[in-house]
Amino acid sequence: MIKVNDNFCKLPAGYLFSEVARRIEAYRKAHPDAAIIRMGIGDVTCPICQAAVDAMHRAADDQLSEFTFHGYGPEQGYAFLREKISEYDYKKRGINIGIDEIFISDGAKSDTGNIGDILSPDCKVAVTDPVYPVYVDTNVMSGRAGELCDNKWSRIEYLPCTAENNFVPALPVGNPDVIYLCYPNNPTGTTLNRKQLAEWVEYAIGHNALIMFDSAYEAYITDDDVPHSIYEIPGAEKVAIEFRSYSKTAGFTGLRCGYTVVPKSLKGVDSNGAEVSLNSLWNRRQCTKFNGASYIVQRAAEALYTPKGQKQVRETIDYYMRNACVLREGLTEAGLTVFGGVNAPYIWIKTPGDMSSWDFFDLLLAESNVAGTPGSGFGPSGEGYFRLTAFGRYENTVEAVERIKKLKF
Ligand code: PLP
């Protein structure tokens, strides 16, 4: 029989969201009349904005004519979209990112998962804890994580983010080569301000570490002091790769489009000690393994940068942030301690008393018919916490809060 990659076998079965879905389904079967409100999986509920849909119609029509038809596109993405990103997402914030430093992708999950292809299997990794599971699992798959004991991988440094440290991770002590940071954060909904992020950049510069900065939720930032891009911090272009996504910005979870910035000034070293450009390696990786995001979807993404697109995207984000506000205020009134939801679409609840994350999940499902995500599924420091998302319909969000208030914590 064929030999398999042992690293995959190390991954514990039962991906978090499958277990959440399994429990909801079991409850639904036992209580067929229950009107369950799902606020667990981070998918969006608002439709794609008109500007993007109009652009897709036009792009679909392009495919009808031999003169405007688009087949394989550039692996790095079309210049029309990369130019908009460079101009609107960076230049307007005073950041100089050239279009050859921008790689269009089919979403941030693929790129945050695949980026490890260009790094040595020996690299030591640090993650904030709790964490978006993709960073950890993909490092397990590529053999960087060591062994799983007590819910932790032996070669990964976990940086706890809890109420005790105000969800600001302490700098690493184990000299990691790679550090994953996600701000605004999934799952805690918290952020780092400019000064706090600058400490990480300074650390990375001083310790030759590479920061993987996932800013999939930057569109939700409301505070002026929270950076939208790590490149707002001087020197970050020498130590950080940034991942962005149109999924939560513009509801592209089904369309699939995002991008990754790999600055040309980012350098690594090969086993002979020779300096290597990470931008060149990622370009090589993409040209070999990726054939580009679809033309139609890239046209939709381009339309988000038009005045109409910008206004429509803003309206949707405001819609979700109104939900976040309802959740924060309502759950606080219900007697719960809540975090996040100001610069991010996630609400991070401290479970009451000593209740475990899964016990709180079962309680909310049974007593309020509200489904969320147990914090422990995001890492050891997520135990005792619970995540609700603001991506639901407004009416459902209000209803969920009313139901939870009846529980009186
Ligand atoms: N990064 C974070 C932190 C996320 O929470 C998600 C989605 O939930 C992603 C990346 C994936 O985004 P995409 O839909 O672009 O793959």
Side-chain angles (χ1 to χ4, degrees), residues 320-330 341 347:
Y320 293 136
M321 288 314 277
R322 181 167 66 140
N323 288 348
C325 185
V326 167
L327 285 167
R328 270 191 316 114
E329 289 177 2
I347 309 293

Side-chain angles (χ1 to χ4, degrees), residues 74-76 103 281-291:
E75 291 90 346
Q76 304 82 358
F103 297 82
L281 288 195
W282 184 243
N283 188 45
R284 187 71 175 83
R285 189 264 173 213
Q286 290 299 81
C287 290
T288 302
K289 291 196 182 181
F290 185 60
N291 246 343

